[in-house]
Amino acid sequence: MLTMSTLKKSHAEFHHGDLQAALVTAGLRHVEKHGLNSLGLRQLALVTGVSPTAVYRHFADLEHLKAAVGKASRETLGKMMLDALKSAPANKTAKGAIARFLAIGGAYIDFGIKKSNLSEIAFICFDSPELEPDSPNPSELLMASLTELNEIGCLSDRNYKTAPTIAWSMVHGFAGLAAQGATGNSGETLASKRDVLMAVLKSLDIK
Amino acid sequence: MLTMSTLKKSHAEFHHGDLQAALVTAGLRHVEKHGLNSLGLRQLALVTGVSPTAVYRHFADLEHLKAAVGKASRETLGKMMLDALKSAPANKTAKGAIARFLAIGGAYIDFGIKKSNLSEIAFICFDSPELEPDSPNPSELLMASLTELNEIGCLSDRNYKTAPTIAWSMVHGFAGLAAQGATGNSGETLASKRDVLMAVLKSLDIK
DNA sequence: GGCACAATGTTAACAATGTCAACATTAAAG
DNA sequence: CTTTAATGTTGACATTGTTAACATTGTGCC
């Protein structure tokens, strides 16, 4: 009988170890370099050194695989936001809380600009079907920053109710537009990352 | 010889008339009903009653066809914005200009909510390669509304510079999030369409 | 230890897709 | 009327996602 093990694979590496994770990280790497459109099941299996149908032991569908890559992409964004938070002042003052909000929101926007391919897959298929929530979770990190602003006293309870949606919409929208180069086309009129974040603060009556 | 004309098509309808437009509108209809993922070249040709390869006489590529459908989608958004503008007060006052901004921005958001499938293709592949600009153009309509606010005197020149990006980011971001049902998940804290538009006005020191 | 059994991977095949090359038909220009 | 460009058709090819049937590996149970 002509089997795979008699040809190339040693008995020890017939099983891959952790294929599920390998596929996701390979998918992440591919999307980052070549975009979402060209992300294929077979090609991904080839890169990972595995048979195309092996993928179906870990993902029901290509769509589910994409959802997993999307989740991973959101999680790298979450890590970037946490990093930005660490590089920000830690003072428990209004000024400190504002600085942390700027850092977190800025990281979100930077992600959209510098990793536009990842940003694309991160926010398509938002609702991963029965896939445990991201950790760290970008939108919750943003919300936590607003909660802190509220607790420290520079965000009224009234504004706090709508703050998450407003902040998220603005940051998310600017990141998305920037990812497509749509923010620098109108000659005179354009706003930078800082302008956008300051606009959020102003709309929330902060400072 | 066995030709198509001897079988089914009369000589008069061998040529389609305006296939280019027919493909685009068929594509629009399909995306609206069944989403962007399942938009295929062959299926589209079948629906239009034409051979698959006939598409290549009008579009270099499936990607170019999608770009055309995306443009058409943006144009239907533009029409909805114009309709909303007509149903708004026409007074050349501050109050009127604000009402018109709310109408235009609201139409943009409604498009994201009610036509989420179209919204998806409308803002993927933003830069149609050498495809003449949309008419009516959604982002320009939004900008025009801001210009009017500026000319009428309730938007300072300083804020006017950044206003297009800020307004567009907020509206576009909220529409995108709403299209994915991501705006109603956090229990207490959520904002409605009106809240978002009012936040834009406040961040621009209007009224 | 030996053995059922789940987990994981492989091969072979199928239908459908995007795309190309070569050919046919119609419309327009000389 | 003939030539030529526009538009559409057929046939084929490589690639893709997916399924069914089979092989291999690791695990718990007696």
Side-chain angles (χ1 to χ4, degrees):
Chain A
M1 168 118 3
L2 197 64
T3 66
M4 197 94 182
S5 57
T6 65
L7 286 179
K8 24 182 164 173
K9 297 228 172 168
S10 79
H11 293 253
E13 54 181 273
F14 181 95
H15 280 66
H16 187 282
D18 192 356
L19 182 57
Q20 175 138 1
L23 286 171
V24 170
T25 63
L28 254 192
R29 200 186 313 273
H30 177 97
V31 170
E32 183 166 8
K33 282 188 188 169
H34 307 97
L36 171 58
N37 285 351
S38 59
L39 180 62
L41 188 148
R42 284 185 116 103
Q43 189 185 122
L44 208 53
L46 188 69
V47 166
T48 319
V50 97
S51 173
T53 54
V55 179
Y56 288 88
R57 301 294 160 186
H58 301 274
F59 301 97
D61 206 315
L62 173 63
E63 224 57 32
H64 289 239
L65 173 51
K66 280 184 183 173
V69 176
K71 180 191 166 190
S73 177
R74 285 191 301 273
E75 284 173 344
T76 72
L77 165 57
K79 284 173 197 158
M80 287 174 65
M81 291 168 84
L82 278 183
D83 282 356
L85 198 59
K86 280 173 194 157
S87 310
N91 317 338
K92 279 239 166 270
T93 64
K95 208 160 218 168
I98 291 177
R100 284 187 288 280
F101 168 80
L102 293 178
I104 281 200
Y108 196 116
I109 292 176
D110 284 338
F111 184 76
I113 296 177
K114 296 197 238 174
K115 313 257 182 180
S116 59
N117 280 335
L118 288 189
S119 176
E120 187 185 358
I121 198 178
F123 298 111
I124 269 182
C125 275
F126 223 106
D127 46 353
S128 323
E130 62 249 348
L131 205 59
E132 57 195 24
D134 319 344
S135 78
N137 185 319
S139 70
E140 283 182 2
L141 285 176
L142 196 69
M143 258 195 62
S145 168
L146 295 170
T147 300
E148 193 191 9
L149 280 166
N150 176 250
E151 287 170 347
I152 250 175
C154 46
L155 176 54
S156 75
D157 287 2
R158 208 181 91 86
N159 283 333
Y160 178 60
K161 281 184 188 165
T162 61
T165 305
I166 285 174
W168 197 12
S169 294
M170 178 84 89
V171 168
H172 182 78
F174 183 71
L177 293 179
Q180 299 167 322
T183 55
N185 52 357
S186 301
E188 308 255 321
T189 62
L190 93 176
S192 68
K193 172 173 74 169
R194 186 164 190 88
D195 292 326
V196 167
L197 293 173
M198 296 309 262
V200 173
L201 292 180
K202 186 187 280 190
S203 78
L204 296 176
D205 288 314
I206 292 179
K207 195 171 174 252
Chain B
M1 168 120 0
L2 198 63
T3 65
M4 196 94 181
S5 57
T6 65
L7 287 179
K8 26 181 164 175
K9 298 227 172 170
S10 79
H11 295 255
E13 55 182 273
F14 182 96
H15 280 66
H16 187 281
D18 192 355
L19 183 56
Q20 175 138 1
L23 286 170
V24 169
T25 63
L28 253 192
R29 198 185 315 272
H30 177 96
V31 170
E32 183 165 8
K33 282 187 186 171
H34 308 97
L36 172 57
N37 286 350
S38 60
L39 180 62
L41 188 147
R42 283 184 116 103
Q43 190 184 121
L44 208 55
L46 188 70
V47 166
T48 319
V50 97
S51 174
T53 53
V55 178
Y56 289 88
R57 301 292 160 189
H58 301 275
F59 301 97
D61 206 313
L62 175 62
E63 224 56 30
H64 289 238
L65 172 52
K66 282 183 181 172
V69 176
K71 179 190 166 189
S73 176
R74 285 191 301 273
E75 284 173 344
T76 73
L77 165 57
K79 283 172 198 159
M80 287 174 64
M81 293 169 82
L82 277 183
D83 281 357
L85 197 60
K86 280 172 195 159
S87 309
N91 316 340
K92 279 238 164 272
T93 65
K95 208 161 217 170
I98 290 176
R100 284 188 287 279
F101 168 79
L102 293 178
I104 280 202
Y108 196 116
I109 291 176
D110 285 338
F111 184 75
I113 295 176
K114 295 198 238 175
K115 312 257 182 181
S116 58
N117 280 335
L118 287 189
S119 177
E120 186 185 357
I121 199 179
F123 297 112
I124 269 182
C125 274
F126 223 106
D127 45 351
S128 324
E130 61 246 352
L131 206 59
E132 57 195 26
D134 318 345
S135 79
N137 185 320
S139 70
E140 282 182 4
L141 285 176
L142 196 68
M143 257 195 64
S145 167
L146 295 170
T147 300
E148 192 191 9
L149 280 166
N150 175 250
E151 287 170 347
I152 252 176
C154 46
L155 176 55
S156 74
D157 286 3
R158 208 182 91 85
N159 284 333
Y160 179 58
K161 281 185 189 164
T162 61
T165 305
I166 285 173
W168 197 12
S169 293
M170 178 84 89
V171 168
H172 182 79
F174 182 72
L177 293 179
Q180 298 168 322
T183 55
N185 51 358
S186 302
E188 307 255 323
T189 60
L190 91 176
S192 67
K193 172 174 75 171
R194 185 163 191 88
D195 293 327
V196 167
L197 293 173
M198 296 309 261
V200 172
L201 292 180
K202 186 188 279 189
S203 78
L204 296 176
D205 288 313
I206 292 178
K207 197 173 173 244

